[in-house]
Structures are given as structure tokens and as C-alpha cells.
Amino acid sequence: MQTWLLKMAAEFSHRKDQLVFLINNYDMILSVVAEHTSSESHHMDTFKSLLTSRTEEYVEEVLAPYFGGIMAFVKEAENRLEQDRAGDYAKHEQKISQLIRGFNADWKKAIDSINADIMRSFTNFKSGTQILQTALTQLIQFYHRLQKVMSQPPFRNWPIKNDLINIHNIMVEVKKHKFTF
């Protein structure tokens, strides 16, 4: 069945659409299997694992258009900080400042767009809500990591550091998208 699902997903030209197809189908399969069995099975474990890995990949895909530049910078800067090579960034201050200004200008609209995209893409409201919460949690984690990076030399002396949005403001906005059942 997994092979067939992968073949069907390959019919979609965009990776994000492929992932939506797979996640929706894994979720449906898990729901049907759970209704007809009373215990965990090997197949159920396999599909749960597939659902988790595809969801993680989807979250990266859905965040990338809005926050990909910041995410890439954070990953690279953390790596360079570990290797004690962060000084290489001195010549990129303007580019990094533009990334942060772009984030500051668009983050609320981006969260709304991500919310709309996820809710439109997933047939199971509960699953869609969980995926949205995973995406927003990952956004907050990346932003926290950005703040941590910007507190390290050479970044801590850059004027743009003072323009970082308080993480609590982001968390308040994220809570607006938290649904309860």
C-alpha cells in the first residue's frame, strides 16, 4: 500500500502537495485501522511513523516560503558559532539585517497565511490543527534560536539586534491560532 501511495503522490508536481496527499491518506488509514482493531499493530506503528516523518517535512515546507531565509541563517550561524567562525558574518551584516527587517514586517501576515493554507489542505480538522501547532511551535523555536544567535559576538553589537521583536509578542499571536476541542 505504501508503494501505491508514493506513486499516487508523485502525480503532484509540488513537494508540498505530495506531502499533503500522503499525510491525509496516512491519517485516514490510521483512523480506519484504529476503528477495526483493538490493539496496536505493526502496520499501525509503521503508518504512525510515516505520518510523523511526513508531517515534519511538511512543516519545513510550509514555513520555508515565509521564514526560510531566517531559518537558513540560524542553522548556518549556529554551525559557525560552534566552529568559532562567526566572525565570517561581519561582511554580511546588511543582508542579515534585511532578513530581520523582512521578518519584522511580515511575520503576522505569514502566520495567517500558514494557518489558512494548513486548514485548507487537511481534511481532518484535528490533524490540521495539530500540524498548525507543530508549525507554529517550530517557528517560535527558530525565533528563539535567532535571538540566541544574535546575542553572540559579532551579532550582539549589530544595531539590528535591537529591532528583534520580543518573542512574547510572537507567542501571543500564535496563541490566537490555538484551537481547543
Side-chain angles (χ1 to χ4, degrees):
M1 183 179 291
Q2 170 62 4
T3 305
W4 181 79
L5 284 173
L6 291 173
K7 284 181 184 178
M8 293 297 295
E11 295 294 315
F12 294 96
S13 57
H14 300 288
R15 182 64 181 153
K16 191 167 95 173
D17 294 333
Q18 293 171 354
L19 292 168
V20 167
F21 174 82
L22 291 169
I23 291 167
N24 279 326
N25 279 285
Y26 294 153
D27 184 54
M28 181 63 71
I29 290 166
L30 285 168
S31 296
V32 170
V33 171
E35 281 181 22
H36 295 289
T37 61
S38 59
S39 64
E40 297 286 317
S41 68
H42 170 69
H43 294 294
M44 219 167 158
D45 290 341
T46 300
F47 280 106
K48 280 182 182 178
S49 175
L50 289 167
L51 178 63
T52 300
S53 66
R54 299 300 185 202
T55 299
E56 289 169 1
E57 187 179 350
Y58 175 80
V59 164
E60 291 278 333
E61 287 283 325
V62 80
L63 290 175
Y66 305 101
F67 307 112
I70 290 279
M71 292 165 62
F73 164 68
V74 167
K75 289 175 186 176
E76 185 179 327
E78 287 173 335
N79 189 25
R80 287 186 183 204
L81 283 165
E82 283 180 19
Q83 298 173 4
D84 205 24
R85 293 184 30 229
D88 298 350
Y89 276 113
K91 59 187 173 206
H92 300 291
E93 181 177 355
Q94 185 176 2
K95 180 181 175 193
I96 295 164
S97 295
Q98 286 176 327
L99 277 175
I100 292 171
R101 279 190 209 97
F103 177 91
N104 291 352
D106 298 330
W107 68 274
K108 282 185 182 182
K109 287 184 274 185
I111 288 174
D112 289 339
S113 295
I114 289 168
N115 176 60
D117 188 24
I118 289 174
M119 290 302 156
R120 183 177 48 251
S121 297
F122 295 99
T123 54
N124 181 330
F125 180 74
K126 187 175 179 181
S127 294
T129 302
Q130 289 171 341
I131 291 167
L132 175 63
Q133 290 307 307
T134 301
L136 296 177
T137 299
Q138 188 162 330
L139 170 62
I140 289 172
Q141 289 170 344
F142 263 103
Y143 195 75
H144 179 68
R145 288 166 57 189
L146 171 66
Q147 288 181 320
K148 189 174 176 182
V149 163
M150 294 303 291
S151 70
Q152 305 293 316
F155 311 108
R156 71 172 158 216
N157 297 324
W158 291 3
I160 194 68
K161 181 186 177 287
N162 298 325
D163 293 342
L164 290 173
I165 293 170
N166 187 311
I167 196 165
H168 295 290
N169 293 341
I170 296 172
M171 292 170 74
V172 166
E173 190 67 25
V174 163
K175 284 183 182 178
K176 292 178 185 177
H177 295 279
K178 185 174 179 103
F179 300 101
T180 55
F181 297 97

